[in-house]
Every structure is written in structure tokens, then in C-alpha cells.
Amino acid sequence: MSVREIDVRYVAHLARIELSPEEERQFGAQLGQILGYIEKLNQLDVNGIEPTAHAVPMVNVTRPDEIKPSLPAAEALRNAPAQANDLFMMPKIVE
Amino acid sequence: MEYEAVIGLETHVQLKTQSKMWCGCANEFGASPNTHVCPVCLGLPGVMPVPNEEALRLTALTGLLLNCEITAYAKFDRKNYFYPDMPKNYQITQYDRPSTKNGLVEFEFEGKLAQVRINRAHLEEDVGKSFHFDRQSGLDFNRAGVPLLEIVTEPDITSPDMAYAYLEALKEILIHGGVSDCDMEKGMVRCDVNVSVRPIGQKELGMKIEIKNMNSFSGARRALEYEIPRQIDTLRQGGKLAQETRRWEDSTGMTEIMRTKEEAHDYRYFPEPDLMPLAPTPEWLAAVRARQVELPLAKKRRLMTQYQLPASDADTFVNDTPLARYFEAAATGAKNPKALANWVINNLRAKMAEAQITLADLKFPAASILSLIELVDAGKISSKIAQEVFAEMFASGETPEQVVTRKGLIQVSDTGAIEKFCDEAIAANPRSVADYQAGKAAALNFLKGQVMKLSKGKANPGLAGQVLERKLAQIK
């Protein structure tokens, strides 16, 4: 099984996760193994097979445009670590 | 060296649906915070989105209105990013298989017909609204999951004014089409700008710079008015432009750098596994097609050709749909639709404004205006008398014939009577007669005015003129 090189630091940044150098090595190796495992798929002959995101041949699954009850604000905010005036509160966002 | 600007716009428009895109929460502006939310639009684990069929129809309808092709196969993708306004940590959008593409918007600009190609109009979801306080930010997710259409142009726009005209035209199309209310105050339309500059004559595009954070169309125009000279100045001074995203600051009237290409987002798009693809059926498309309305510009052109209306009259009707409907209903039986338009716009509309009433309050039927025009065209009353008749019928609801008979307003086309008025006018105004004979043509108009006065406005003015000229020639 070939271990693929991946830029763990970059992926961690995209996922907004802070990793120690040791974790970077550890997860890098583990992610590489996973990718290597997925690479097995390359052994399959997929000539003539349409790429698809779904295994089930189904289209146009929709719902009518009807209003259904929402959650009460108190319920919606129940898991919020911080709240004020019915808003979810968080450290100030600066772009 | 002279430079030119190349501009493309991305406009986000909230669709006019009852419920949100993937759940049954109300799509309504102005509710108290976090009252139109549920596990789906809050991005709680284990939920499944289901597309709102009306949003899909409105997307296809927009495609038709923008002359796009409605693709036979479309799908949804996840655009991954981390920002508190989107608790799922991805936005559902359409990446490589949008619902509509390759369109064209036509609009009037600087007296000419301008065209801007549409790259695509794709469906996605709006995000929550953030509020910023001293040390914290707060999030209201009522807006999260509201169906949002992103309409992307090709870089066909060449000036800030043209960008503004395009945005106004687009808004007009979407409002007329019933796709969106486009209420800027409520944030229903937002736009981002892509702009580059290049030496005139150069084929390759310059470095593309994106500007965000404009909350009005005039903001977009002002941002371009600032940004284009900034880019040109940078190049003239030997500087280089980098691909970057800039933020428009409305208060300072300047753009400032937000991020460069190196910091640009890597969205890691992938197909949304929770949503099945879309493949519109012919029946479904036919139902959407049936909802297509005539666009303002098309309507203007049709009114001009069908009824020979001047552009200004056609514009008036385009901007006043009820008045246009009234006109068109009456015009089907009209021999002289141009005159009808004139009466409807110049007299009827003015009178209604004066009396502060609407078309529904009118006391007379549209047919009365047609009768009135026919009375004028047949020479039975003068156009001046017609104004008087119109005022009467507007006030009382009488037919023009009734007014004319009751007030004895039939135009005098009887030559004998007119000869008598002309003789009187000539006898009473020797000075004007002398003036006329001395070559002052204007004196004839004065004498004609006297004839009209003597006849209490009822003399046929054309006939009066002829008789006067003949009589004056005889005096000589």
C-alpha cells in the first residue's frame, strides 16, 4: 500500500484545526493510509461508466412550497454556548 | 496609454417563495431573530434537505426571462468554508452543472440597445445574518437557507454607468417576472463586481479584481468609479496589479484589500450527497413557460410597432401597468390608437391624479374616449372643445355625445354661419386686416382666433381659416 503525500498543515488550516507537529506527522501518516486504501478503486475498469454522485438513479425529488412550524427561538438557542437577545453569540468575527 | 475597463457582475437575488429552500421555515424578512429556524437550516446533525419545487420553478423561469438555456441535467454541490453565518460549514450551491446557463440581457443604455451575456444563473442558499457588537458578534439564522439565485454575467460591461443600467434592467426583469421583490432595503438583491483594466486594443484581459460589500446599485457604480482609475493609475505609474478581493467602504468611498489570491478560499466543492439531481420534464418546463411574462423592453418595442406610439408614450405604459392594460383593452377597437394613447396619458392620467382616483373609480367606460376621438376625427367638435367634453364626462360619466348635445357643442362646419363670423371678425379688426395685407401672416391667426371666439369655440378651425383667407384675398 503506497502512502500518498498530503499537505496536512494546509488541510488542517482549511478545517480550522490546530495541530502540533507531532499530530501533523501522526495524522499525515493516517490520512495517507486512507488515501492509499481508496486508491484501490483505481484498479477497477470504469471505462464506459458515467460519473455520478449517486448510486440510485433518481431525479427531481422535491417538496411543495409550504410553510411548516419552526422551532421556538428558545428551543433553537438551547445548545448555544452563548446567547443574547435571541441571537447566537460568538467571539467577534473579523474578516 | 489609454485604458479600458472590463466588468462582470455577480448578482445574488432572493427568490419569492413561501418557505425556505430545503425546509418548511418561512421565507420572511423582519421576523424576530431565530424564529424561522429548524434543525435543517440550523445545520444540526442528521437532517436531510429537500428542495423547494417553487424555487426550482422560479430558477427556470428566471432562466427563460434571461434568455438562458434550461439545462437538461443539473445538480447541487457543497461549497465548503468556515464562517459562523453558515453553521453546516458548507453552502449548498450549483458548481459545474447549474440549472440555467448562456443567456442574454438586453436593455437601453445611452439611447442604444445594450447587451450583456449571462454566463449562468444558479440556485443556492442564503446564509445567516451577522450583527457585530463591541466584543462579540451575534447570528440570526432566519435568512439561512432562503433560496438565492446567483446571476453571473460575462465580462461584457464597459463602464460604471453601464453596470448600473444593467443592474436596474435586471431588477426590472425579476420584479416583472414575479421572481423576486428585489427590495434592496431588505437585502433581497446584493451584487459583487469583477473588474480589470487593459490598454485599449489589447485582447487579453487584465488582472481581475473582485469587489464586495456593495449594498446598493449606486454603491456598485461608485465602487467602480473609484476602482477603475485606481487600477489605471497603478499601471501608469509602473505598478503591478495582483489578483485580489477588495472591500468597498461606502463611508469613505474607497476600496481596500480583503485578501489576495494566496489567501483565497479553497472551497473543495463536491457533489451534495443528500440531494438528487434535477432533470426537468417537458411537462414541468411547459408549466414554467406558461408563467413567462412580457419583459419591459419587449413590451415597449411591441407598443411602438403595434400602435405606432412614440417611445415616450410606450415608456409611460411600461412603467404604469394598469394604465397600459386600460389602454390596450380600449385600443383593440380603436381606429386611432395613437390619439387614444395621447388622451389616456395626457388627459386621463392628469385628471385622475388631480382628482386622486384610480382607473377603477372612473365613471365612464373606455369606449367613451374612443367616441370622443371619433367626434374630433370626424370634424364634429374641435380638439379644444373635446377637452371641455372630456372634463364633463370625467365628472359626470355622460357619453361624449350626451355632453355635446346637452351643451350644444357641435362644431359649426356650415359655411354660411362661418362666413358670417368671418365677416364680423374682419369688420371689427381693420388693423389686423391691414397687417395681413402688409404681409404679416400672424394676423391671420389672430383673426381666426376672433372667429373661434365669436362662435364660442364651435367653428371648424380649418374651415374658418380657409374662408378668412378667401375673404381677405377678395378685399385686396
Side-chain angles (χ1 to χ4, degrees):
Chain A
M1 199 186 295
S2 70
V3 175
R4 282 255 310 246
E5 275 295 310
I6 61 170
D7 188 342
V8 177
R9 195 176 301 200
Y10 178 63
V11 174
H13 172 70
L14 283 179
R16 303 296 186 270
I17 299 171
E18 212 172 338
L19 297 180
S20 66
E22 194 181 322
E23 285 170 323
E24 273 177 29
R25 272 192 301 279
Q26 187 190 349
F27 291 130
Q30 288 176 356
L31 287 170
Q33 277 172 15
I34 292 169
L35 280 183
Y37 177 66
I38 299 292
E39 293 222 323
K40 276 191 178 170
L41 290 173
N42 284 338
Q43 294 166 14
L44 285 175
D45 180 9
V46 289
N47 275 324
I49 297 177
E50 278 282 302
T52 176
H54 297 279
V56 188
M58 197 188 261
V59 292
N60 304 331
V61 181
T62 61
R63 65 174 181 87
D65 181 22
E66 283 163 10
I67 297 176
K68 296 273 165 63
S70 296
L71 291 177
E75 189 72 9
L77 288 154
R78 216 173 65 173
N79 293 334
Q83 53 172 287
N85 303 317
D86 287 341
L87 297 172
F88 289 84
M89 299 305 288
M90 63 209 63
K92 190 163 184 176
I93 313 164
V94 271
E95 173 99 1
Chain B
M1 200 185 299
E2 289 305 308
Y3 288 86
E4 64 180 3
V6 179
I7 302 163
L9 297 177
E10 291 169 16
T11 311
H12 287 90
V13 181
Q14 286 183 352
L15 296 178
K16 199 164 137 182
T17 55
Q18 297 294 311
S19 63
K20 291 189 183 180
M21 187 62 222
W22 320 112
C23 61
C25 291
N27 170 9
E28 183 199 30
F29 177 86
S32 65
N34 292 305
T35 52
H36 293 336
V37 293
C38 74
V40 174
C41 53
L42 287 173
L44 301 187
V47 295
M48 287 288 266
V50 187
N52 179 335
E53 61 184 16
E54 176 65 2
L56 298 175
R57 284 192 289 259
L58 291 176
T59 301
L61 180 58
T62 305
L64 294 173
L65 294 171
L66 304 182
N67 303 298
C68 290
E69 64 183 86
I70 312 302
T71 54
Y73 176 92
K75 69 175 177 68
F76 292 104
D77 301 273
R78 289 187 182 181
K79 175 180 179 179
N80 299 280
Y81 70 92
F82 288 82
Y83 206 67
D85 61 10
M86 182 47 88
K88 296 198 293 278
N89 292 341
Y90 58 85
Q91 180 190 32
I92 303 175
T93 182
Q94 294 183 312
Y95 182 55
D96 57 346
R97 305 296 295 255
S99 281
T100 81
K101 60 180 186 183
N102 299 337
L104 184 74
V105 172
E106 290 186 306
F107 55 100
E108 289 176 326
F109 176 59
E110 291 178 343
K112 287 193 205 119
L113 188 69
Q115 295 187 324
V116 171
R117 287 170 301 153
I118 299 296
N119 175 286
R120 51 152 64 195
H122 72 249
L123 186 54
E124 56 188 37
E125 58 180 327
D126 210 340
V127 299
K129 186 164 173 43
S130 352
F131 298 87
H132 303 291
F133 307 104
D134 271 355
R135 293 168 150 193
Q136 286 183 299
S137 294
L139 247 302
D140 170 14
F141 290 108
N142 284 347
R143 200 180 68 181
V146 164
L148 195 67
L149 207 58
E150 178 171 337
I151 301 167
V152 183
T153 73
E154 296 291 347
D156 290 350
I157 298 167
T158 54
S159 70
D161 284 341
M162 186 177 173
Y164 183 82
Y166 159 81
L167 289 168
E168 284 291 328
L170 180 66
K171 180 177 154 191
E172 201 176 44
I173 290 169
L174 298 174
I175 291 174
H176 272 260
V179 169
S180 173
D181 288 332
C182 292
D183 191 333
M184 311 281 304
E185 307 268 293
K186 296 180 181 171
M188 291 178 183
V189 197
R190 278 119 47 196
C191 95
D192 298 334
V193 162
N194 288 306
V195 57
S196 63
V197 298
R198 64 181 169 193
I200 288 176
Q202 180 183 304
K203 270 222 173 102
E204 304 81 63
L205 293 170
M207 193 54 76
K208 183 175 87 176
I209 287 169
E210 184 176 8
I211 315 173
K212 289 180 174 287
N213 198 40
M214 282 81 64
N215 46 23
S216 66
F217 292 170
S218 53
R221 175 163 61 187
R222 285 173 59 221
L224 283 165
E225 282 168 350
Y226 170 84
E227 180 64 15
I228 294 166
R230 186 194 72 83
Q231 292 186 16
I232 293 173
D233 285 350
T234 304
L235 293 179
R236 284 218 173 108
Q237 287 162 18
K240 275 208 152 186
L241 293 166
Q243 186 175 336
E244 61 192 25
T245 301
R246 300 179 70 87
R247 175 205 296 276
W248 167 249
E249 284 304 334
D250 207 69
S251 52
T252 58
M254 298 201 285
T255 64
E256 57 190 46
I257 189 157
M258 259 171 90
R259 51 181 176 248
T260 60
K261 194 187 174 190
E262 287 72 49
E263 307 157 18
H265 291 308
D266 179 350
Y267 293 120
R268 309 233 147 168
Y269 287 96
F270 67 85
E272 165 59 88
D274 290 346
L275 292 166
M276 303 312 283
L278 305 168
T281 63
E283 298 75 39
W284 187 87
L285 275 176
V288 173
R289 240 178 226 114
R291 291 171 64 176
Q292 236 182 307
V293 293
E294 186 179 33
L295 292 179
L297 186 60
K299 185 173 182 176
K300 179 178 175 182
R301 286 179 181 167
R302 182 177 61 76
L303 289 171
M304 288 174 71
T305 49
Q306 193 173 339
Y307 305 109
Q308 290 88 49
L309 301 188
S312 57
D313 285 3
D315 273 332
T316 304
F317 286 135
V318 167
N319 294 322
D320 189 339
T321 309
L323 200 70
R325 215 175 284 139
Y326 181 87
F327 165 74
E328 290 216 69
T332 48
K335 286 180 197 140
N336 188 348
K338 214 172 151 181
L340 175 66
N342 218 357
W343 275 99
V344 168
I345 292 171
N346 297 324
N347 300 77
L348 179 63
R349 200 168 56 136
K351 276 271 181 203
M352 287 198 306
E354 196 183 299
Q356 296 191 336
I357 61 165
T358 67
L359 289 163
D361 305 319
L362 291 181
K363 290 180 179 163
F364 60 89
S368 284
I369 302 185
L370 295 181
S371 312
L372 185 63
I373 293 167
E374 279 177 32
L375 287 173
V376 177
D377 286 351
K380 292 193 178 137
I381 56 173
S382 68
S383 41
K384 202 175 163 204
I385 292 287
Q387 302 282 348
E388 194 183 325
V389 175
F390 181 78
E392 292 280 335
M393 66 186 231
F394 187 87
S396 68
E398 280 175 286
T399 66
E401 291 84 355
Q402 283 169 334
V403 177
V404 166
T405 314
R406 179 167 60 79
K407 301 194 80 179
L409 297 172
I410 282 289
Q411 180 162 273
V412 178
S413 294
D414 160 17
T415 324
I418 289 183
E419 299 233 358
K420 202 176 127 252
F421 291 134
C422 289
D423 288 337
E424 281 177 41
I426 287 168
N429 299 285
R431 185 121 172 245
S432 298
V433 173
D435 283 349
Y436 177 76
Q437 282 166 341
K440 281 190 189 164
L444 181 67
N445 281 335
F446 174 79
L447 288 167
K448 204 162 115 182
Q450 295 308 302
V451 172
M452 296 309 291
K453 212 168 166 184
L454 288 165
S455 74
K456 299 197 173 68
K458 290 188 287 185
N460 179 326
L463 213 53
Q466 286 170 24
V467 173
L468 268 177
E469 277 189 88
R470 181 169 41 87
K471 285 188 180 291
L472 289 167
Q474 283 164 2
I475 294 172
K476 216 175 195 175

